Amino acid sequence: MSVMSSVMRATRLLRSSAPLLTWPQSSRLASKQVKGQRKEQKKLKVDKQEVEIRQGMTAAALAAAMNRDFDHVLEALLNTPADLDSLRPDSVLEDSWIKEAVIRSGMKFRWAKLSESRERPNRDAQRRPPADPALLASRPPVVTIMGHVDHGKTTLLDSLRKSQLVAMEAGGITQHIGAFLVQLPTGERITFLDTPGHAAFSSMRARGANATDIVVLVVAADDGVMNQTVESVQHAKNAKVPVIVAVNKCDKPQADPQRVKQELLAHGVVCEEFGGDVQAIHVSALKGDNLQALAEATVALAEVLELKADPDGPVEAVVIESRTDKGKGPVTTAIVQRGTLRRGCVLVAGRCWAKVRFLFDENGRAVPEAAPSAAVQVVGWKELPSAGETVLEVESEQRAREVVEWRSHLAEQQKLLEEQSAIQLKQQRHLEEYRLEREPLAHLSWRQRRAELYRAHKIRLSVRPSERTESDELGLPLVIKGDVDGSVETLLNVLDGYDAQDECRLDVIHFGVGDVSENDVNMAAAFGGSVYGFNVAASRGVTQLAAQRGVALRLHRVIYQLVEQLRHELSSKLPPQRRRSTVGEATVLAVFDVSVGKKKVLVAGCRVQKGQLDRRLKFRLIRGRDTVWEGSVSALKHHKDDVATVKAGMDCGVSADGEVDFSTGDVIECFEEQEVPRVTSWDPGF
């Protein structure tokens, strides 16, 4: 009983001390409990686009920085002090407007930092200063043989060195520049450069003149002074090199050496017998007559010039020719001008460098070294340098890489400047077009202007052609391949003179040295062009690939044949011309009406004066000097018979299709139109 009473007493105490929970309190407690049970969710941060701004930005520059258009800037500047009606893309914005436009666009801004561009130190390789005259040693002369094509330059060199170079040249003409060492019977050594005489090889002749000490000008006694003779004289004058005239082919009956010397006077070459200082030697390269006198004159002139060079120190040379050999890789023919070139030397030429692995003479024999004035073939180039580049020796491979990297950097900077100027020019043109487009809308508010532009662009987009459309412009893409760098240079110089772009575009999409490869064929196929190769070959696989892809391979060994085929292919691209030829003429003697059913037809009574009138051909009516009508005839009658032709001296009646007002004295001419193939107007000059 006592236990029961104590329990009841404890219950009453609890009820009196604990407050009652009302409904709002209980709901709050429940919600807290639910929130406690849930996991806390992280709020996702939205990364705002950051815009780089600077002082004095134009509206167009701000739009470009925000990756928006100009109208978006106008919208962002609503309800600001900016005068939107007078705002143009080139208008300069205030700093507060720039920040306001960026913020209203839901972006954040940061001010551009003025960074000072650090100049890279010059790491180029330079020529050495002139050496002490006491250290100089005598060297053999470098003699360049120049003259017109087929005047006997290579035959003269063959006679001097007892070789048969002419038999190796395609077409019997020299098409490369060659360097040869000739030792005379007296013991003197001379390095000869044989240059092409064809008109296309002007750059090779200029390169030969710049790398030589003496120029031997070969002039045929029967031909006299020709175009390339004059050009060779000019090259020698530009290079400030003395000249010796070799009057060749003096054994021919029609030879006139005196006329050759007189013709040279007009070009500033004064021979000794006319009071000048130029030696003129009469020779016959084919028979070998008087060649010893020519060699002695060359040696005597070299002694007068006192040719000397420094055989010690870093090498300096000049690239005469470069090519790619299948077994040796990139190979250059160079003439040493200073120092002694040996195996293991590290060389730099242009943006290429080499560690010399082998040296070969003109006969393909390996040589340990090359002294000044020697012509050698250098093997070991990482890439193929261009002909005419200066070769300098450096200390190490690392130094060579630095020089090449510096020169590549300079070339990139130059290219960047050219591209920037082109971009600025395009931007100016675009801005002018934009102003012309906006001028008719200048009186409208920006809302009205935007609506008008939207409608105009909508119409333009609705009639826009497909993305891939074939151009109606005629064109011939070319891939040019040559055996040596000089050959490619010559072909590019010829193509630079192409002046018929309005008829058919001529685009060189790729050029290089070496045989035709699959990449060349694939590139020509991608552009729908042809491959032209000079003194190169194509393997059977490449030929089959070209046939499969429909690419024309034009391989030639004579340059004028290559150019002639190129002209023929350009002509085949042109649409044919329509040529009219008169078949017959008739004079209108009388005009009368003839009833055909219920219709009256005007008929011209004519007499054929010459030729014949053929009903199947076209006719025209000539009154005075004007053509009044041109078309076909509906009827041609002789007396009352329908005929197909009416010959000269016969009378006939002619009625035309349509309404034609014939008059007495008019001339009716019958003509036919023929399609004649067009020929390109491009003349390469040879």
Side-chain angles (χ1 to χ4, degrees):
M1 189 70 180
S2 61
V3 175
M4 192 68 175
S5 61
S6 63
V7 171
M8 291 177 66
R9 193 183 305 114
T11 304
R12 282 197 299 268
L13 287 173
L14 285 172
R15 285 180 179 175
S16 61
S17 61
L20 295 175
L21 290 175
T22 59
W23 180 81
Q25 291 174 333
S26 61
S27 64
R28 249 194 330 268
L29 183 59
S31 65
K32 286 182 180 179
Q33 291 173 351
V34 171
K35 285 184 179 178
Q37 292 173 359
R38 291 178 183 170
K39 291 183 179 179
E40 294 182 359
Q41 296 181 353
K42 293 183 179 179
K43 292 183 180 179
L44 296 176
K45 281 189 176 181
V46 179
D47 290 335
K48 294 183 179 180
Q49 180 182 342
E50 191 175 50
V51 181
E52 187 176 76
I53 63 175
R54 62 183 183 276
Q55 291 182 343
M57 287 185 78
T58 61
L62 179 59
M66 293 193 299
N67 199 17
R68 299 290 190 271
D69 56 5
F70 173 66
D71 290 334
H72 176 83
V73 177
L74 293 177
E75 287 182 359
L77 293 177
L78 278 174
N79 301 323
T80 61
D83 185 7
L84 300 183
D85 290 333
S86 62
L87 200 63
R88 297 287 182 269
D90 56 346
S91 301
V92 179
L93 302 177
E94 295 182 6
D95 295 348
S96 58
W97 298 353
I98 296 173
K99 293 188 287 186
E100 188 69 21
V102 174
I103 293 171
R104 288 188 178 188
S105 301
M107 307 175 188
K108 58 182 180 179
F109 64 86
R110 63 178 173 85
W111 291 100
K113 294 182 179 179
L114 297 176
S115 59
E116 296 181 0
S117 58
R118 294 175 55 190
E119 283 194 14
R120 296 179 59 174
N122 190 339
R123 302 296 297 166
D124 201 1
Q126 304 293 338
R127 285 179 176 268
R128 289 184 289 157
D132 185 358
L135 302 176
L136 300 181
S138 299
R139 64 175 177 84
V142 178
V143 180
T144 299
I145 299 179
M146 304 178 74
H148 192 71
V149 63
D150 201 28
H151 275 200
K153 299 181 298 300
T154 307
T155 307
L156 176 63
L157 186 59
D158 280 343
S159 300
L160 287 171
R161 62 195 299 265
K162 303 295 187 292
S163 61
Q164 292 293 326
L165 288 178
V166 174
M168 299 165 59
E169 291 286 358
I173 61 173
T174 302
Q175 301 179 107
H176 300 85
I177 185 169
F180 311 96
L181 181 65
V182 176
Q183 186 162 2
L184 302 178
T186 55
E188 288 87 357
R189 296 159 65 91
I190 302 175
T191 299
F192 280 100
L193 298 183
D194 185 18
T195 60
H198 196 275
F201 298 96
S202 176
S203 58
M204 286 191 186
R205 287 189 292 275
R207 192 159 58 246
N210 291 328
T212 192
D213 302 313
I214 302 171
V215 168
V216 173
L217 184 64
V218 179
V219 188
D222 54 346
D223 271 357
V225 175
M226 304 295 285
N227 294 336
Q228 273 60 62
T229 309
V230 177
E231 184 191 292
S232 300
V233 171
Q234 194 60 44
H235 286 319
K237 288 182 178 179
N238 294 340
K240 298 179 181 179
V241 176
V243 176
I244 296 176
V245 178
V247 185
N248 195 18
K249 302 184 180 181
C250 290
D251 56 321
K252 286 193 172 183
Q254 62 271 32
D256 190 356
Q258 200 68 20
R259 177 174 67 92
V260 171
K261 300 175 194 175
Q262 292 174 352
E263 290 176 351
L264 287 172
L265 287 173
H267 304 287
V269 180
V270 184
C271 297
E272 289 178 338
E273 61 185 88
F274 294 110
D277 56 354
V278 177
Q279 303 178 74
I281 314 297
H282 300 178
V283 298
S284 173
L286 193 62
K287 294 185 176 180
D289 296 343
N290 218 19
L291 295 183
Q292 186 63 31
L294 178 62
E296 290 174 357
T298 305
V299 172
L301 182 57
E303 290 177 355
V304 171
L305 295 175
E306 296 183 352
L307 302 174
K308 295 183 178 181
D310 181 10
D312 301 321
V315 174
E316 296 178 10
V318 61
V319 177
I320 296 298
E321 196 57 273
S322 58
R323 60 187 173 86
T324 301
D325 190 275
K326 287 184 179 180
K328 302 174 184 175
V331 180
T332 62
T333 301
I335 291 184
V336 181
Q337 296 176 326
R338 193 174 179 183
T340 302
L341 181 60
R342 298 181 177 87
R343 290 179 58 181
C345 291
V346 180
L347 307 177
V348 174
R351 286 180 282 172
C352 307
W353 69 278
K355 184 173 183 180
V356 180
R357 294 192 292 125
F358 299 103
L359 296 173
F360 297 97
D361 62 8
E362 70 272 13
N363 298 316
R365 294 181 300 226
V367 293
E369 61 182 26
S373 296
V376 288
Q377 298 179 22
V378 182
V379 179
W381 293 95
K382 307 303 177 183
E383 294 180 10
L384 194 65
S386 300
E389 294 282 4
T390 300
V391 180
L392 299 176
E393 183 182 359
V394 293
E395 302 85 10
S396 61
E397 296 184 24
Q398 181 181 358
R399 174 72 178 124
R401 292 190 184 96
E402 289 178 354
V403 174
V404 170
E405 184 181 353
W406 168 254
R407 293 180 177 179
S408 301
H409 170 70
L410 289 182
E412 290 174 1
Q413 293 299 315
Q414 182 64 30
K415 185 178 179 182
L416 184 61
L417 289 176
E418 294 174 358
E419 291 177 350
Q420 285 178 347
S421 58
I423 290 172
Q424 290 176 358
L425 181 60
K426 287 186 178 181
Q427 285 177 343
Q428 290 177 359
R429 291 177 181 173
H430 176 72
L431 188 57
E432 290 174 2
E433 293 174 359
Y434 182 82
R435 286 173 178 170
L436 291 175
E437 183 183 359
R438 290 296 182 104
E439 276 181 4
L441 309 176
H443 63 285
L444 302 176
S445 65
W446 74 274
R447 289 183 184 275
Q448 294 171 335
R449 186 163 62 246
R450 182 176 182 182
E452 288 292 332
L453 290 174
Y454 174 76
R455 282 193 288 270
H457 291 163
K458 186 176 181 181
I459 295 172
R460 187 185 303 172
L461 290 174
S462 64
V463 298
R464 184 177 63 180
S466 60
E467 292 296 332
R468 297 188 63 181
T469 57
E470 293 187 2
S471 174
D472 295 333
E473 188 179 10
L474 300 174
L476 177 60
L478 293 181
V479 173
I480 302 295
K481 297 302 289 287
D483 56 341
V484 295
D485 184 74
S487 300
V488 177
E489 179 189 18
T490 298
L491 290 174
L492 294 179
N493 289 339
V494 171
L495 297 180
D496 281 342
Y498 181 72
D499 55 0
Q501 295 283 2
D502 54 335
E503 296 177 351
C504 179
R505 284 190 59 81
L506 184 63
D507 298 317
V508 179
I509 56 177
H510 175 66
F511 60 88
V513 177
D515 290 343
V516 180
S517 64
E518 293 185 1
N519 290 335
D520 300 327
V521 174
N522 291 330
M523 185 173 295
F527 286 88
S530 303
V531 178
Y532 277 77
F534 180 66
N535 270 328
V536 295
S539 64
R540 180 177 299 178
V542 172
T543 305
Q544 292 175 352
L545 178 63
Q548 292 173 1
R549 306 209 62 178
V551 175
L553 289 180
R554 320 284 191 187
L555 307 180
H556 293 274
R557 298 188 63 200
V558 181
I559 189 166
Y560 57 79
Q561 294 177 358
L562 183 148
V563 175
E564 190 60 34
Q565 183 163 25
L566 177 58
R567 291 186 73 246
H568 178 72
E569 186 169 2
L570 286 168
S571 301
S572 66
K573 295 280 184 180
L574 302 178
Q577 289 180 328
R578 299 187 69 85
R579 183 176 298 172
R580 292 182 175 183
S581 57
T582 303
V583 178
E585 287 184 2
T587 305
V588 178
L589 303 178
V591 180
F592 46 89
D593 294 333
V594 175
S595 298
V596 179
K598 296 182 180 181
K599 186 179 179 182
K600 287 189 177 182
V601 178
L602 198 65
V603 177
C606 308
R607 177 169 295 161
V608 181
Q609 302 295 336
K610 57 182 178 181
Q612 66 177 14
L613 303 185
D614 193 333
R615 181 177 175 179
R616 296 163 296 184
L617 302 179
K618 294 285 187 180
F619 289 77
R620 60 183 166 196
L621 181 65
I622 300 174
R623 184 171 297 158
R625 295 184 178 181
D626 301 327
T627 300
V628 180
W629 164 83
E630 187 175 308
S632 56
V633 298
S634 58
L636 179 64
K637 293 193 175 186
H638 178 60
H639 300 306
K640 293 185 179 181
D641 300 328
D642 287 327
V643 292
T645 59
V646 180
K647 297 183 179 180
M650 299 175 61
D651 295 336
C652 62
V654 177
S655 59
D657 283 341
E659 297 182 0
V660 181
D661 184 19
F662 293 107
S663 179
T664 304
D666 290 347
V667 176
I668 296 178
E669 189 177 274
C670 176
F671 64 91
E672 64 177 345
E673 292 182 340
Q674 296 176 334
E675 289 188 350
V676 180
R678 288 180 62 185
V679 179
T680 179
S681 61
W682 174 47
D683 183 12
F686 53 85

